[in-house]
Amino acid sequence: LAAMVYQMGQGGFGRFQRLIGAVKARDWATAVDSMENSKWCRIDSPLRARRMSAATSAEASSASSVV
């Protein structure tokens, strides 16, 4: 999220209403889906989707062990 805000500015990031709503609701699956299916992810850096998927998998493993 920090990278998105840094790269697009607050105005650009503010257009990601589905993502922002998902983060506020702590709906991480929807948040990731929103980022992965965005032009920001697909076009800006083809490797970004793979890095996000790896990070999501690692966070999911961590979250399940915390509960």
Side-chain angles (χ1 to χ4, degrees), residues 4-66:
M4 291 179 80
V5 174
Y6 177 78
Q7 291 173 0
M8 295 185 284
Q10 289 180 345
F13 181 76
R15 293 190 300 245
F16 284 76
Q17 293 300 311
R18 181 173 173 238
L19 169 61
I20 293 168
V23 170
K24 286 181 179 180
R26 295 180 170 259
D27 180 357
W28 308 122
T30 300
V32 169
D33 183 60
S34 179
M35 287 187 284
E36 288 181 336
N37 290 311
S38 70
K39 181 179 177 182
W40 171 82
C41 183
R42 290 188 313 271
I43 294 175
D44 189 40
S45 173
L47 299 175
R48 186 175 285 143
R50 284 185 284 205
R51 289 192 306 250
M52 286 177 53
S53 294
T56 303
S57 298
E59 287 179 23
S61 297
S62 301
S64 64
S65 64
V66 171

